[in-house]
Amino acid sequence: QNRMLSLLTASSLGFAPIAPLPASGVHARLSQPVMETEEDLKVLASKLNPAVGYWNPTPLVDMEFWGQSQEATIGFLRQAEIKHGRVAMAAFVGFCLQANGFHWPWACTLEGLSFGDISAAGGPAAQWDALPTNAKFQILGFVGFLEWWGENSYALAQSGEKHYMRGGKPGFYPSFNKGNIPHPVPLELFDPFGLQSKMTPEQKEKSLLAEINNGRLAMIGVMGLICVSKGLIVPGLDGVKIEAYTGQYMAPFAASDNLPFIADMLKVNLGL
């Protein structure tokens, strides 16, 4: 954590209004590769849940994805868990809000279609189906940009980090403003209000452990809500009233989108 604080300081100095640094200065801002091993996962597991500890029922940690090293594979798995956990936390909160009729009070299209109209379509998944096709493309395109920026080696380097399969910190998301985006971005995707900059290294470590645990619970929770909406029995959610969804969760587009091949794809029963 002390190393990360020093890197953030060095990164900010690198963008101060002074004479440009030589090429060697740029490399000095980059964090030194720290590849996690299986032993590091065991230590992390004991901190996350001392009662369970390290439990690995799959051979994923022992594999070498795409011909990379075991350490690079561990970096990929750690990044995947943190990212899926963050998405699941947002999805769980969003599912609960949408299922209870919460929505923005204004129009979502220039034609006058309101978020209230979308909310009236049914549960969260039915609301997605009710979105105009162009709105779906905008959302998917924005998510695609965020994914590309987070994987971009240049953007990571400008924030003093490396790719998570090259020794970078799993879960790290590069700054928009340090990446020379043509216009300023008021809020960063990660830590938009700068709260972490005021935390001690011990507080940051505790916060990261809580984020991983909460993400794991959220992944279980959102899948439970999805299963209930499909009429399945989920222990602990028997009394929860969730509007049934007759569409397919695995299909990002519906027949109403009137796109090529969509009608044929929807004929495939994917179970959800």
Side-chain angles (χ1 to χ4, degrees):
Q1 296 294 337
N2 291 332
R3 179 184 301 170
M4 286 302 300
L5 292 174
S6 65
L7 288 172
L8 292 174
T9 303
S11 179
S12 61
L13 290 175
F15 287 90
I18 58 177
L21 292 171
S24 59
V26 176
H27 293 294
R29 294 203 309 268
L30 299 178
S31 60
Q32 296 298 318
V34 179
M35 305 293 283
E36 291 181 309
T37 65
E38 188 172 3
E39 292 302 316
D40 294 317
L41 295 183
K42 293 178 180 179
V43 174
L44 177 64
S46 63
K47 294 180 179 178
L48 289 169
N49 192 330
V52 176
Y54 182 68
W55 184 62
N56 178 33
T58 72
L60 292 177
V61 172
D62 301 319
M63 299 175 67
E64 298 180 350
F65 291 178
W66 306 292
Q68 304 291 318
S69 66
Q70 182 188 24
E71 290 77 12
T73 300
I74 290 175
F76 174 86
L77 295 173
R78 290 267 287 118
Q79 171 78 7
E81 179 182 35
I82 294 173
K83 181 186 295 185
H84 281 77
R86 289 172 177 171
V87 172
M89 285 187 280
F92 183 86
V93 174
F95 196 107
C96 293
L97 291 175
Q98 289 180 255
N100 286 280
F102 290 94
H103 59 81
W104 298 115
W106 50 74
C108 66
T109 68
L110 297 177
E111 289 75 18
L113 182 69
S114 70
F115 284 100
D117 297 329
I118 300 298
S119 179
Q127 293 176 35
W128 168 264
D129 291 341
L131 285 174
T133 304
N134 288 338
K136 294 179 181 178
F137 279 127
Q138 290 175 10
I139 294 172
L140 294 175
F142 179 66
V143 172
F145 167 78
L146 295 179
E147 183 74 8
W148 170 78
W149 188 256
E151 297 283 333
N152 190 288
S153 297
Y154 169 80
L156 289 166
Q158 296 308 304
S159 294
E161 265 294 340
K162 292 180 177 292
H163 193 271
Y164 49 83
M165 293 185 72
R166 295 293 180 269
K169 181 181 179 181
F172 180 86
Y173 195 86
S175 166
F176 293 128
N177 293 307
K178 293 178 181 179
N180 296 325
I181 287 182
H183 59 83
V185 180
L187 299 175
E188 301 285 2
L189 179 64
F190 180 77
D191 194 22
F193 303 108
L195 300 179
Q196 280 213 347
S197 62
K198 305 174 184 178
M199 298 170 63
T200 65
E202 292 76 16
Q203 290 174 323
K204 289 183 179 180
E205 181 181 12
K206 183 179 179 180
S207 176
L208 178 60
L209 296 176
E211 180 185 36
I212 295 175
N213 277 330
N214 290 336
R216 290 175 175 178
L217 182 60
M219 286 187 274
I220 297 173
V222 73
M223 287 304 299
L225 295 176
I226 288 174
C227 291
V228 171
S229 73
K230 297 296 291 186
L232 302 177
I233 299 176
V234 179
L237 296 180
D238 298 342
V240 178
K241 294 183 179 180
I242 298 178
E243 191 165 346
Y245 176 57
T246 58
Q248 294 191 24
Y249 276 102
M250 300 300 292
F253 296 102
S256 59
D257 290 307
N258 195 26
L259 294 173
F261 312 113
I262 296 300
D264 293 332
M265 292 172 61
L266 291 174
K267 295 177 182 178
V268 180
N269 186 5
L270 299 176
L272 286 176

